[in-house]
Amino acid sequence: MSIVVGVSFMVGTYLIMARSLLSVVIGLNMLAHGSHLLLLTMAGLKTGAPPLLDRPETAFSDPLPQALILTAIVISFGITAFTIAIAYRTYKVYQTDDLEQLRGSPDE
Amino acid sequence: MKWKTNNLLFIHVTRIVAFLILTFSIYLFFAGHDDPGGGFIGGLMTACSVLLLYLTFDKRKIDEMLPINYVYLIPAGLLIAFGTGFLGILFADPYLTQYFDYFTLPWIGEFELATAVLFDVGIYLGVAASALVIIVTIAGDE
Amino acid sequence: MNNLIILPIVIPAIIGALLVFFAKSQKIQRFISVITMTAILFVSIWLSIDVYQNGIQVIALGDWPMPFGIPLVADMFATVMILLSSVVGIFCLFFAFRTIHPNRERFYFYPFYFFLIAGVNGTFLTGDLFNLFVFFEVTLIASYILIVHGSTAFQLRESFKYLAMNVFASMFFVVGVAYIYATTGTMNIAHIGLRVEELGQEGVLNVVAIVLLFVFAMKGALFPLYFWLPRSYTGPPAVVSALFVGLLTKIGIYAIIRVFTVIFNHEISFTHNIILILAGLTMLVGVLGAVAKYDFKSILAYHSVSQVGYMVMGLGIFTPLALAGAIYFMVHHSIVKAGLFLFSGVAEKITGTTDIKQMGGLLKTHPAFSWLFFVTAMSLAGIPPLAGFFGKFTLIVPGLSEGHYVVVAVSLIVGLLTLFSMMKIFSYSFWGRQKHSASQAKIKTRDLLVAISPFVVTTIAMGLAAEPIFSYFLDMAHELLDPSIYIESVLEE
């Protein structure tokens, strides 16, 4: 698991260094997924029954990390959608998705 | 611009599958109370089924078929979700306290009613509508 | 249990959702928003009084027992911040009525305005680290939309950068949360504070502290991570910039102060010294940026960066007086800087530009506007009877007595440079030859000034009433410096 986290951080970091707007968005998304996975890994992976009433088992798994990750995924889903929309509009307005050309001069 | 019609097979399969997905999403939504599922995933499923319709038939046709402004569904969902929280205050408990009880009806048998489901209805509406708004807006841009 | 605490979060959220339905009607939207903001203001005053009289108020959402449930905690610090957010919110709202283009109003400006307020209030009130993240995101999503609202080319480009920065920081927040959960096994801030004392794992906790400091520093625009702020605050309309500078950077600072008093108080010599160094650098870099700029809004934005340094400096010194000074400075800065951004909006409306080299002679054509600006600018620079002076004074005195001479020296230099760049704005755009046309000179600003004057009045009042305010803030600082009060009252709930 920690290797997967490392790889997705690596890929994400590489992608946000790229010049294309879309790869930045995908890179940020990769990083977000990496951090969600990290949350799950750090919380400790234990096998156990779902923590519900009316279950015969005695060992339950910790529901909190799952809840946290679900929330974080929902948030990153919303933000990714918004980022794509912004990136798309930026591309439409400037007719380029190259970040070098989007730098803008300091005084305009 | 002339609209190309989709593959005949695709259209016919969609007609059936879209409603299967819709049914499954509603099942998921109710299962969410004590099994995997819930408002969020149910909402996304619903959005998927409507999107499949959009994909197969064109946007104009669907807009005629479903004359709903999804934008209004988002705040409606939010209002339901926030509103159920106030039930707790009515009974002098903290905000968002949930209540449940078991009822028995003829034919159906024993079942549980919980206020958490109402909260989930809000989430369901909000998620389905916002997913649709986002995708349809981006895709609908010429 | 006190259900009053949820109202500052839930009222704006519900009204924000409700306003979407009325997006087409300007009148109804304005009417509802004024009533709501007034209601929020009253609720926050009521809550502050309640907290002042009865101590920290806690509510466990959903009636879950305490270390597991999500608490909302209203202590003195949080209530002051809520009061601040509702004051800034209501003043900016009046200004928005006068300046925001009707098209923008129709395009869901007010709903997101209220979502922003809801998110900010939530950040101040929550007692759960993960919920802090969630409310941060609520605030940020609303801010992304407000910052790109109107979609001019400049706004689009700058807000993409702002967005990318913040998404990156949020990701690190999740990482920090993961580490905290792994070391302490809880998300409740009070419970984490307790566990940190018990665990005694300084090494790991220092790493986590730095990760979280990085996150909050990004949001609050601290030294190495301030670069997104000046440019993204110059794009949107003045009222949005005012709201952002009044509330958005403050949530970063609030989170730093909260986290570094309740949780990471185990090794002050390490963490708080880093904060002090960052504070000094932030002040210096920010003010140098301001000195170099000739754009009205850019100067103000760079000043915000430098003043973030002062607030964090108070935390770095870590004595009651310094902390009280830092919070006083936060309140003062929100009000003054929001006012100044609104002034820049007025100046832009009169002259049609934000470049101070192309302005001039405003003093002759709009004397009332100019003198109000002068008072506010002097308050920012820290001239004695006004609020800014007391803020800086109470930071410098404990800084000297604790022996942090370098930071104190830096802050004094920065104060001087602040005065210089405020005078630069004043001399370029208000004195000198009149550069705007005769028709522009006739533009009436009375309505706008009425909307701004509450800010000016508040800063003067804060200066005159510094004595009672400080005795209140000192109580608050004592409460902050003794985290056991916070921890006990949350965990007893």
Side-chain angles (χ1 to χ4, degrees), chain C residues 367-388:
Chain C
F369 164 62
S370 311
W371 290 116
L372 281 177
F373 171 81
F374 184 74
V375 171
T376 324
M378 287 307 108
S379 177
L380 185 79
I383 300 298
L386 297 162

Side-chain angles (χ1 to χ4, degrees), chain A residues 31 42 62 79 94 102 108, chain C residues 130 137 153 157 171 179 181:
Chain A
L31 285 174
M42 293 297 283
D62 184 1
I79 290 182
Y94 284 95
L102 286 174
E108 53 191 331
Chain C
F130 193 77
E137 291 305 306
R157 196 180 63 207
M171 178 218 103
Y179 286 139
Y181 191 72

Side-chain angles (χ1 to χ4, degrees), chain B residues 26-76:
Chain B
I26 292 168
Y27 165 73
L28 268 182
F29 167 66
F30 282 111
H33 196 59
D34 41 16
D35 271 316
F40 179 70
I41 193 73
L44 278 185
M45 262 314 185
T46 310
C48 283
S49 82
V50 180
L51 276 179
L52 194 60
L53 291 177
Y54 270 109
L55 209 62
T56 331
F57 309 100
D58 65 68
K59 188 168 178 293
R60 256 174 288 170
K61 213 171 196 172
I62 304 292
D63 286 344
E64 274 171 31
M65 204 177 83
L66 287 170
I68 309 166
N69 191 347
Y70 304 120
V71 173
Y72 290 127
L73 287 183
I74 304 175

Side-chain angles (χ1 to χ4, degrees), chain C residues 216-234:
Chain C
F216 299 142
M218 187 92 97
K219 317 262 178 186
L222 227 60
F223 162 60
L225 309 161
Y226 65 91
F227 46 85
W228 56 269
L229 187 140
R231 291 178 64 93
S232 41
Y233 279 22
T234 42

Side-chain angles (χ1 to χ4, degrees), chain C residues 261-277:
Chain C
T261 51
V262 180
I263 302 178
F264 303 115
N265 48 16
H266 56 280
E267 203 176 336
I268 290 167
S269 59
F270 175 71
T271 46
H272 289 64
N273 268 345
I274 291 184
I275 292 176
L276 212 53
I277 294 168

